[in-house]
Amino acid sequence: MSTQSAEPTEFRESPSRSRRIATEQPVTLRAKLHLGFLTARGWGLFATGTIALLGAFLLGRRELLAVSLFLLLVPLLAAFLLRFGKADLKVTRTFNPQQAITDSGVRVRLHIMHEGRDAGIMQLRETLPTDFGAGPGFSYPSRTSGHGPAGSGSWYEYRLRLATRGIYSIGPVQAQVADVFGLSARPATLDAPSALLALPQCNALEPTGIPGEHGSHGQASSNRRLTPDSFEVMTREYRPGDTVRRIHWPATARRGALMVRQEDYRATPRAVLMLDRSRAAFLSQGVGADPVVSIPQFTSPPKDSSKRFEWGLHAALDIGAFLADTGFGIDLIDHRGDSINEVSASGTEDPYELFAGTYASTRMAQSLAALGLEDAAPVRRDPASATLGAALKERLRERGDRLVLILGETTRAQADSWLEVVGTRSRVTVLCVVSRHDQGHGAIAHLRQAGWSAVAVTPHSSLAEAWAELGKQT
């Protein structure tokens, strides 16, 4: 086997994340006349045959006629066999690491091999998203490609640096397939695109107290007292997708409907993180509008985001990781009460997963990786909806449970709506991501008067400082 690195060895998106279109090659006369099914060598052989055929007629030489027919038919036969023939090529694409982190490098390795007849010489080019420009080019087989009982192949490697979270479409490998004599060539797609998941970075918060908590470190209390009828409190109705192993049969027999267990609900207090993803809250219109950030969705159209929404999403991840480390189970929902796993293309298998334990931050980062703003019309619905109210009522049942609201630009009227749907319960933390520091003061003051911890931040604010300020409002 051999390893041949692609040049250039690294591709990076532009800092502005604007789309950069690769320079198109000028259309040649050969392309206009659709003469690409033969190579320059093939057309040279065909032209020689044509001249020989003309000479055979002029000179009356039968042997020259046979040579001319041979020269004419060989490139055409090569093109025919190449068009309907198939080289057994197999492309294996691997990523290291399997899930990339934004602003960090990832190595892409290609293993291309074939079985059976010789695949001939091919010029390969990897297909990358438009932001990366033209993909790296290779020549197959490489000069020192290996041969074995399973076939022969070559290894190629290049690096990517992903500036935006999302699900990137890497591939397929485009090839210029040629016959063994180099007389004919045709374009071919060797494989299907591979999905590369880019996770948002998770930054650890300082181990300070939790806003609204009393104690030295704000650790979540877990000494819940169970009652004889605790299964009634610890169960909920069966939802599609729940595993059969979670069915609580005593509660099912008593209620007459399928009931499933809430894993350690009483022993583990819950923190609900509500991330507003409405377009009106994070994409302002008119003069000074927020620039749109595109979030790749593999082969689907990209989702829209903005700098303010990216700040709010990273804040949700960092706060969620911090609360999970202090003993909370994290429940991520959006402004409509839907689970993030349901509305994100990178959501985990269980739409009602409670993020807790050692890998809570990684699982949350995976769920948030492809999340974008809502696709609905720019009219923002009233947050005091029945769905959101029902979702919060279902999720927040214990006194130790907490609610963190991450909102966009919020007016005084919208603050009243949030107070109406959530209620005047304590242990509510609010971060409003605004464009300028002088925005949102009225809404923040109104929320604080209701007993909530609230602060306004901008995309340039420090989450650690904002979290510390929320702690002082306890």
Side-chain angles (χ1 to χ4, degrees), residues 406-469:
I406 301 178
L407 311 176
E409 293 182 351
T410 306
T411 62
R412 175 70 177 267
Q414 291 168 348
D416 287 332
S417 299
W418 287 112
L419 289 171
E420 180 182 352
V421 68
V422 176
T424 56
R425 60 179 290 129
S426 59
R427 303 175 187 272
V428 180
T429 304
V430 182
L431 286 91
C432 292
V433 189
V434 297
S435 301
R436 302 186 308 273
H437 285 287
D438 56 350
Q439 293 178 329
H441 288 315
I444 295 298
H446 189 54
L447 294 175
R448 290 178 179 177
Q449 291 175 359
W452 292 5
S453 301
V455 67
V457 295
T458 68
H460 305 289
S461 300
S462 169
L463 176 60
E465 295 178 357
W467 190 251
E469 181 179 348

Side-chain angles (χ1 to χ4, degrees), residues 48-271:
T48 304
T50 303
I51 296 174
L53 181 62
L54 181 61
F57 278 107
L58 294 178
L59 300 177
R61 304 299 297 265
R62 184 173 298 178
E63 59 276 15
L64 188 57
L65 177 62
V67 173
S68 64
L69 292 177
F70 174 80
L71 296 176
L72 289 172
L73 292 178
V74 165
L76 297 179
L77 180 62
F80 177 82
L81 295 177
L82 187 65
R83 174 63 179 84
F84 295 99
K86 180 181 179 182
D88 296 327
L89 292 167
K90 180 181 180 181
V91 177
T92 303
R93 184 183 292 103
T94 57
F95 304 109
N96 185 21
Q98 289 292 331
Q99 294 181 347
I101 305 295
T102 54
D103 292 328
S104 63
V106 56
R107 291 183 178 273
V108 185
R109 210 174 196 199
L110 293 171
H111 179 214
I112 304 178
M113 60 180 300
H114 71 275
E115 299 176 351
R117 66 178 181 86
D118 192 355
I121 299 175
M122 292 182 293
Q123 296 301 320
L124 312 179
R125 184 167 295 277
E126 177 80 304
T127 304
L128 295 179
T130 310
D131 292 333
F132 293 97
F138 313 97
S139 178
Y140 180 83
S142 58
R143 297 179 180 177
T144 57
S145 61
H147 299 270
S152 62
S154 299
W155 293 88
Y156 308 92
E157 187 176 283
Y158 63 95
R159 291 198 303 161
L160 294 174
R161 185 175 295 273
L162 309 176
T164 307
R165 60 182 177 85
I167 309 176
Y168 288 82
S169 177
I170 307 300
V173 173
Q174 302 288 344
Q176 195 69 15
V177 184
D179 64 284
V180 293
F181 300 106
L183 301 178
S184 177
R186 68 175 177 88
T189 300
L190 301 185
D191 67 329
S194 302
L196 175 58
L197 183 62
L199 306 179
Q201 286 187 352
C202 181
N203 300 315
L205 289 174
E206 294 293 332
T208 57
I210 303 174
E213 286 284 356
H214 298 283
S216 57
H217 296 88
Q219 298 295 325
S221 176
S222 60
N223 53 346
R224 307 289 188 221
R225 178 174 298 177
L226 300 181
T227 65
D229 296 330
S230 60
F231 65 86
E232 282 288 356
V233 181
M234 296 173 63
T235 58
R236 59 169 172 80
E237 293 183 358
Y238 175 85
R239 300 190 186 109
D242 287 335
T243 177
V244 179
R245 292 175 296 181
R246 294 182 61 184
I247 296 179
H248 196 288
W249 296 110
T252 299
R254 181 170 177 174
R255 298 289 295 273
L258 282 177
M259 305 293 291
V260 296
R261 292 189 303 271
Q262 290 276 41
E263 297 293 342
D264 297 329
Y265 181 75
R266 280 184 170 269
T268 303
R270 177 175 296 189

Side-chain angles (χ1 to χ4, degrees), residues 282-311:
F282 289 98
L283 276 178
S284 58
Q285 306 294 326
V287 180
D290 298 324
V292 177
V293 178
S294 295
I295 305 300
Q297 304 287 308
F298 193 38
T299 56
S300 301
K303 297 284 187 179
D304 289 340
S305 180
S306 66
K307 291 183 178 180
R308 290 192 293 120
F309 183 71
E310 291 298 301
W311 195 100

